[in-house]
Amino acid sequence: MTDGSETGGARGALDGLVVCDLSRILAGPTATQLLGDLGATVVKIENPGSGGDDTRAWGPPYAETHDGQSDLSAYFMAANRNKLSVAADLATEEGAALVRAIAAEADVVIENFKPGGLVKYGLDHETLRAAHPRLVYCSISGFGQTGPNRELPGYDLMAQGYGGIMSLTGPANGAPHKVGVGIADVMCGMYACVGILAALRHRDSTGEGQHIDLSLVDAQMAWLINEGTNYLASGRDPERRGNAHPNIAPYDVYPCADGHVILAVGNDGQFRRFAAAMGRPELGQDPRFMTNPLRLENRVALTEIVTELMAAMPRCDILGRLAEVKVPAGPIHTVAEALGSEQARARGAVISVPHPDTLRGEVQLLGNPLKFSATPVTVRRPPPRVGQDGSGILDRLRALRTTPSGRS
């Protein structure tokens, strides 16, 4: 087993922590990949009969492998580096017993089965925590462990629809849209990671583990943020405005002579500087537009004026003028442009990870955005093949207890 010491790198903040990962698809794997990036040893449990995590088959594209197997989809690789993969069929006593033994060595168990779905295997939180009181157990589901919808399945699209974000996303006069990536899953995974770390802090202070009950829909509603509180404060359902901001104007995407440009005016001073830079200084003194509340009140007229100004100029001219006066504006990159930018290269947004099973000998992944001064993020393992790490897994986990970074 490799960790920071074996690769010659600095130790991660979570070195010595063991995570038993019974989750699949995106929310749970996002959380456990982040824990793994921070140094934890993550043991991903996969059902060999179903081909492992569902997302292994969510392709193309796939990484090309020497054996020709298609179990390394780009989707799977997005959330499953820094993990060991152990094949175990929970429907068999042998498989369930193996996972219980792994859980006994773990600090954290995370799962996303239907509520109550692990009771018959002795892997539910009550059973495991009765045997291991220090265990932190995180359950992720579509709607949570309680409530009238607890039995309903949870998928990102369903959570975005139920939780309100789709009603705010898309063209003002068009159909509701989901966000372009599985953001309900990803944000739920982030909340899970925060909750797990907080529960570990409590465990280390008191010796007491606990159960974390987290749902996609709860998490999605929580990150409605200002639009959620806009409704709570006003009693009015927020409107879908495309790229426009509900509380700031002008803050939108505008067509220009050679494409589109983002304008994000955040205060009255910026608006006056914007107007002057665009050759219309009188707009900054126009009684309709002098303050942000007035600009919101007169949003339609303002949008027509700004749209006309932008349409007559090329993007580079607009961005140059606004950069000089420190008014926020920017381009709309494609994914290729974003990941290929000088900023992305400088910040490590894309990383190459050695992978001996692939024809290229490596896979390219998205980097972790966290930059630590003392305990840097490390990528110690590429996304695993199904069940590749099952041999001797219990001995490997027990060996962690005797290392300097172990738990005993």
Side-chain angles (χ1 to χ4, degrees), residues 21 40 46 115 120 147 158 269 326 342 358 395 398:
D21 184 4
E46 301 194 74
K120 59 187 174 183
M158 307 293 287
K326 295 182 171 55
E342 291 184 7
T358 64
D395 290 338
R398 289 163 184 155

Side-chain angles (χ1 to χ4, degrees), residues 18 57 92 148 167 196 262 266 269 277 283 379 382:
V18 176
T92 68
S167 74
I196 287 167
I262 294 170
L283 293 175
V379 179

Side-chain angles (χ1 to χ4, degrees), residues 46 49 54 66 97 134 141 179 183 212 223 239 259 262 269 302 315 326 356 362 394:
E46 301 194 74
D54 305 48
H66 294 294
R134 290 173 56 85
S141 59
V179 179
I183 192 65
I212 302 166
W223 59 261
E239 299 175 21
I262 294 170
L302 178 63
R315 185 175 73 173
K326 295 182 171 55
E362 64 177 15
L394 294 175

